[in-house]
Amino acid sequence: MIKIPQVLIQELVKRNLVPEEKVEEYTKQAQDENKDFGRILVEQGLVSEEDILKIKEEVYRLPVFDLIKSKTEINLELSNLISEDIINFYHIIPFAKTDSVLRVGILNPEDINALEALKFIGEDKGLELERFLISYKDFDRLLQSYSSITSEVGEALEVKSAGDDASKLKLEIPKTGSLDQITADSPVTRVVAIMVKHAVENKASDIHIEPLENTIRVRFRIDGVLQSTLSLPKNLLSAIVTRIKILSEMKIDETRLPQDGRFSTYLDRKIDFRVSSLPTRHGEKIVMRILDPLVGNIDLPDLGLFGRSLDLVLKNIEKPFGQILITGPTGSGKSTTLYSILRKYNNEGINIITLEDPIEYFLEGINQSQVHEEIGYTFANGLRHILRQDPDVIMVGEIRDRETAGLATNSALTGHVVLSTLHTNDSVGVIPRLIDMGVEKYLIAPTLNLAIAQRLLRKLCKKCKIKTKPNAAEKKILDQAIKNMPTAYRKDLPSETEFIYKPSEKGCGECNGKAYKGRIAIFEVLEMTDELEQIILGQISEAKIRAEAARQNMISMFQDGVIKVLKGITSLEELLETAQEQEVEEEKFKV
């Protein structure tokens, strides 16, 4: 039966946080539901979780463990020290371990039975125990981790083989001979499959398997941020790397050189993985890029395009020829935007050919070609061959050099739609960049339809975001941005910022404690006009192009971000951090 914390109750009654006449009722509810007494109060809305944790800290004089601030990595070995049954029964949970010390979070320090259980575990394992207070949210997050990927991996390593019913996930395995047959039923096969499954379920973009001195660290990149997910014994490294190499058709006996490969898996849909291996001091590191078709299959409004920017893209898609160039740094979502535009063209009456390095998403009905620079099949060389294939729409993964820039421009001039990416800091920089790459001024105006710049911002978790008043500095930034916006955008916004949304400190179960879930792009879209053509043919300068952009009522990426902040889609902190990164990029381009 759950232990009721009498000392804590007395303090709560003393502070008028719990009516004395209700104590018996809440005590019975806690015992009936096998829940901590404080959790019942939080669920009833009588006291916040933050307040009750602070009171516990004062009453019990124990340190508080914070999962988010400590950036604690879930360690597989900890779930082996204290079983899930004991965690649920005594409401104690391990969260860190050194050579001789086990750190444990505890909900009720008055529970003598829980303390005795901890003492026994410490003596049995030869470990010194350090007790910490832990919030209900952090307790639940840790328990969820131990009962999902960690326990699944633990079970996989305990069994000698995995039958057909051992895991719902089936990996499509290339036939590579007897070694594949030997490893196909190994527990390591299940470990790899479990990592893949949980990465896809958590909408991760990459899986990092990193050998450290004594362990293997597994991290998922979620919403652009690497998050530690799992720690594995170092002796599994060779088997895990070999398994992934077999899946990816890489050379398993080559450990001194980097390699690239690819494989597919089926959940409820086919998902591709692009694999890279890299020799490091402690062994081979593996990175798997997850190419989930659902991630790539996003419509333009869902990307973050709206208003004038969306109208311009849709209008220019209808044009029979010309270039649409997308710019931004690596990881800014350019490829996703390109694929979204490609889907608008994709029908039986149009011949679409792409030239990519590498092919990220396979699109039905589109002819996709992979660049191989090591054999001379470059973007420029491939583009020459594509033009002999009677294309209507050409997508070139990236314009990297003068030759590709010239060929792409000539292709647009001769009646083709050309989609591509370019490395500049913003949409205004596209035109000077094309000139720097040797494209004649008089060819830019008739061939360039749109220049689109974008960045990615994390989206606030809809469930736990906090509505609050901005401070003086925040209000000044937002009000000034609104004031400088074109009238068409200002009319739908408040003249003065009254409130904004911010990330919660602790997050929630929906966002796994991160306060953010998913990402959205901010855009600026510059259209070719007669006025812009005159600027290009005359004494061109970025100042003149920016003046023309303002005349077009173009909003900058920062202004687009401000609108999304005011709508509660993202936070001002996230926008300002991205703006600071953009300033650093501008300095690089100046150099």
Side-chain angles (χ1 to χ4, degrees):
M1 183 176 289
I2 193 79
K3 176 71 175 177
I4 303 302
Q6 299 297 338
V7 176
L8 178 64
I9 291 173
Q10 291 172 13
E11 186 66 25
L12 292 168
V13 171
K14 180 181 175 182
R15 300 189 186 199
N16 296 319
L17 292 172
V18 180
E20 192 168 4
E21 63 273 14
K22 287 281 190 177
V23 168
E24 186 177 346
E25 177 187 334
Y26 295 142
T27 297
K28 185 176 184 304
Q29 185 179 348
Q31 291 173 334
D32 290 345
E33 298 179 15
N34 191 37
K35 288 182 178 179
D36 186 79
F37 183 86
R39 191 189 285 267
I40 296 294
L41 301 182
V42 171
E43 291 175 355
Q44 294 287 341
L46 293 172
V47 61
S48 72
E49 187 164 352
E50 291 74 17
D51 286 343
I52 203 165
L53 191 62
K54 188 174 181 181
I55 293 169
K56 282 183 179 181
E57 187 179 10
E58 294 173 9
V59 170
Y60 301 125
R61 300 184 182 278
L62 287 174
V64 173
F65 164 69
D66 189 303
L67 180 63
I68 306 302
K69 290 180 180 178
S70 66
K71 299 180 180 178
T72 294
E73 176 181 311
I74 306 303
N75 192 325
L76 174 63
E77 295 177 4
L78 298 183
S79 63
N80 297 328
L81 293 173
I82 300 180
S83 71
E84 193 174 333
D85 290 339
I86 291 176
I87 290 172
N88 282 315
F89 188 80
Y90 291 112
H91 296 152
I92 56 178
I93 194 160
F95 61 83
K97 177 183 173 293
T98 61
D99 292 338
S100 60
V101 177
L102 179 65
R103 294 183 173 179
V104 180
I106 184 166
L107 293 181
N108 181 10
E110 295 183 46
D111 189 342
I112 302 299
N113 293 330
L115 298 180
E116 287 294 326
L118 279 175
K119 183 179 178 182
F120 173 81
I121 291 168
E123 291 175 353
D124 182 56
K125 305 293 183 182
L127 295 170
E128 181 184 341
L129 292 170
E130 290 184 359
R131 291 178 295 153
F132 290 76
L133 296 168
I134 188 170
S135 70
Y136 303 117
K137 288 179 182 177
D138 284 352
F139 182 91
D140 292 344
R141 287 182 200 125
L142 284 170
L143 181 57
Q144 184 180 13
S145 297
Y146 288 140
S147 61
S148 56
I149 183 170
T150 311
S151 61
E152 284 187 53
V153 169
E155 290 170 11
L157 295 177
E158 286 174 9
V159 298
K160 299 296 183 185
S161 63
D164 287 344
D165 59 344
S167 174
K168 294 180 181 178
L169 181 66
K170 302 287 188 183
L171 289 178
E172 182 184 276
I173 306 166
K175 298 302 178 185
T176 56
S178 59
L179 184 58
D180 175 63
Q181 295 166 2
I182 292 169
T183 59
D185 291 331
S186 129
V188 171
T189 300
R190 284 204 61 212
V191 172
V192 174
I194 289 163
M195 282 192 287
V196 165
K197 180 185 71 172
H198 280 269
V200 172
E201 288 174 350
N202 284 281
K203 294 183 171 58
S205 62
D206 301 87
I207 303 170
H208 289 241
I209 301 171
E210 302 166 304
L212 305 179
E213 187 172 359
N214 299 310
T215 61
I216 305 168
R217 179 173 64 180
V218 180
R219 295 192 288 175
F220 295 166
R221 188 177 292 280
I222 301 174
D223 297 335
V225 179
L226 276 174
Q227 301 176 12
S228 293
T229 305
L230 188 65
S231 179
L232 294 169
K234 183 65 178 290
N235 59 8
L236 291 177
L237 180 64
S238 178
I240 288 173
V241 170
T242 298
R243 179 59 183 165
I244 294 171
K245 283 185 173 181
I246 288 170
L247 289 171
S248 310
E249 297 185 304
M250 294 156 65
K251 295 178 181 178
I252 61 172
D253 57 346
E254 180 55 80
T255 61
R256 298 168 301 169
L257 295 173
Q259 295 187 68
D260 295 307
R262 195 168 187 136
F263 71 91
S264 299
T265 181
Y266 289 87
L267 290 169
D268 56 346
R269 60 194 180 277
K270 182 182 178 183
I271 298 171
D272 295 309
F273 290 79
R274 197 172 75 227
V275 183
S276 170
S277 72
L278 181 74
T280 71
R281 178 186 175 189
H282 298 298
E284 285 185 278
K285 174 182 176 178
I286 298 288
V287 174
M288 294 188 278
R289 166 63 58 89
I290 303 172
L291 305 174
D292 187 342
L294 288 187
V295 176
N297 188 18
I298 303 176
D299 206 5
L300 292 172
D302 295 328
L303 292 174
L305 276 167
F306 71 100
R308 170 191 174 272
S309 298
L310 177 60
D311 292 342
L312 281 178
V313 173
L314 294 176
K315 183 181 82 172
N316 280 274
I317 286 174
E318 298 298 322
K319 292 184 178 180
F321 63 90
Q323 293 184 89
I324 297 177
L325 300 181
I326 303 175
T327 185
T330 302
S332 60
K334 300 188 298 295
S335 295
T336 303
T337 303
L338 275 178
Y339 281 110
S340 296
I341 294 174
L342 274 180
R343 286 188 177 88
K344 294 290 184 182
Y345 287 107
N346 194 9
N347 65 65
E348 289 188 0
I350 295 178
N351 180 22
I352 304 173
I353 304 179
T354 74
L355 194 60
E356 306 175 59
D357 183 23
I359 297 171
E360 294 202 21
Y361 301 102
F362 294 114
L363 301 179
E364 189 69 30
I366 292 177
N367 306 287
Q368 296 174 267
S369 184
Q370 166 79 52
V371 165
H372 291 286
E373 293 195 0
E374 66 275 12
I375 58 173
Y377 187 43
T378 62
F379 279 121
N381 192 21
L383 192 47
R384 287 194 187 90
H385 289 282
I386 282 177
L387 292 171
R388 298 170 196 157
Q389 291 284 317
D390 186 31
D392 298 299
V393 177
I394 301 168
M395 194 268 270
V396 181
E398 183 183 346
I399 296 176
R400 296 177 179 172
D401 51 48
R402 296 170 69 93
E403 190 176 8
T404 308
L407 287 167
T409 301
N410 286 323
S411 300
L413 194 63
T414 53
H416 304 91
V417 172
V418 178
L419 309 175
S420 192
T421 67
L422 201 64
H423 276 292
T424 68
N425 198 40
D426 53 24
S427 60
V428 169
V430 167
I431 294 168
R433 178 65 176 147
L434 289 174
I435 294 171
D436 288 342
M437 297 179 85
V439 179
E440 296 291 345
K441 287 183 178 182
Y442 66 88
L443 291 178
I444 293 177
T447 57
L448 179 62
N449 292 340
L450 282 183
I452 304 171
Q454 67 179 83
R455 297 288 188 282
L456 286 178
L457 302 180
R458 290 181 296 167
K459 293 164 65 176
L460 285 168
C461 175
K462 292 180 180 178
K463 190 172 181 180
C464 66
K465 64 182 180 182
I466 300 168
K467 187 176 181 179
T468 182
K469 287 188 175 182
N471 60 38
E474 292 169 335
K475 190 174 187 306
K476 182 179 179 181
I477 291 169
L478 294 169
D479 289 348
Q480 188 62 43
I482 294 170
K483 183 180 177 182
N484 293 336
M485 282 184 196
T487 306
Y489 289 93
R490 279 206 314 270
K491 66 182 182 181
D492 297 324
L493 299 173
S495 56
E496 290 191 5
T497 309
E498 298 176 1
F499 64 87
I500 55 175
Y501 288 89
K502 292 191 174 185
S504 64
E505 288 187 10
K506 299 273 186 181
C508 66
E510 183 73 19
C511 59
N512 200 25
K514 303 302 179 185
Y516 292 93
K517 187 175 182 180
R519 289 191 289 178
I520 196 163
I522 52 175
F523 293 93
E524 59 183 42
V525 182
L526 179 66
E527 183 183 28
M528 182 56 64
T529 60
D530 292 339
E531 291 82 359
L532 184 54
E533 180 178 3
Q534 292 305 312
I535 293 170
I536 295 170
L537 294 174
Q539 286 294 107
I540 188 171
S541 70
E542 285 201 11
K544 290 180 180 178
I545 299 175
R546 290 187 190 282
E548 166 57 18
R551 191 200 64 79
Q552 291 183 17
N553 289 328
M554 183 188 88
I555 56 168
S556 67
M557 284 184 284
F558 185 80
Q559 290 171 331
D560 189 22
V562 165
I563 293 172
K564 289 174 171 108
V565 168
L566 295 173
K567 289 183 177 181
I569 298 171
T570 189
S571 68
L572 182 58
E573 296 96 322
E574 183 75 2
L575 176 60
L576 292 175
E577 185 177 335
T578 302
Q580 188 174 13
E581 291 172 0
Q582 186 178 348
E583 288 177 6
V584 172
E585 289 168 24
E586 285 177 355
E587 291 302 317
K588 287 181 181 177
F589 276 100
K590 287 176 184 176
V591 173

